[in-house]
Amino acid sequence: VQLQASGGGWVQAGGSLRLSCAASGSTFRNYAMGWFRQAPGEEREFVAAISRSGYTTSYADFVKGRFTISRDNAKLTVYLQMNNLKPEDTATYYCAAGLSLGSTVITYGYWGQGTLVTVSS
């Protein structure tokens, strides 16, 4: 499966952005999907994940209550709605596909190219 992330940009603290990740191929519904982020000089970290059906979601503690992950299997797309953004959310955000729901990088075998989110104070 090939993944294409989009929707990043510049926003002031307290603002919102919605990231999208479009997948190619009819096997999209067979994959759990995750969002990760990586700030300069930092390791890639887990943000959120969603099961193949969309019924189960998982979030990192630092985004709970602010970010929402969702998916539309008919549109082969997963979304990350980000509200109340903070400067520390500044990073390149990556979507990923894997055969199981998880919060570690090695869970996911397919990665998109990343989209940059910049939050100014």
Side-chain angles (χ1 to χ4, degrees):
V1 61
Q2 291 183 318
L3 305 172
Q4 179 76 35
S6 62
W10 178 90
V11 65
Q12 287 189 319
S16 299
L17 283 174
R18 188 175 81 154
L19 305 183
S20 299
C21 176
S24 63
S26 60
T27 59
F28 174 74
R29 64 180 66 245
N30 293 337
Y31 292 95
M33 299 297 296
W35 284 98
F36 289 74
R37 70 186 187 186
Q38 188 167 19
E42 302 291 330
E43 293 187 351
R44 193 168 296 189
E45 64 179 355
F46 170 74
V47 175
I50 189 166
S51 63
R52 288 174 289 181
S53 65
Y55 290 140
T56 302
T57 58
S58 176
Y59 295 93
D61 286 343
F62 55 78
V63 302
K64 284 182 179 177
R66 300 190 298 125
F67 292 9
T68 303
I69 188 171
S70 62
R71 68 188 294 164
D72 186 333
N73 284 345
K75 294 183 178 179
L76 308 185
T77 303
V78 62
Y79 305 97
L80 185 67
Q81 177 67 43
M82 305 186 295
N83 298 328
N84 190 22
L85 282 160
K86 304 176 181 180
E88 51 265 42
D89 294 318
T90 295
T92 297
Y93 284 70
Y94 298 89
C95 60
L99 296 178
S100 61
L101 187 67
S103 61
T104 59
V105 170
I106 61 172
T107 302
Y108 298 89
Y110 302 92
W111 293 83
Q113 86 290 359
T115 185
L116 179 62
V117 172
T118 304
V119 184
S120 65
S121 57

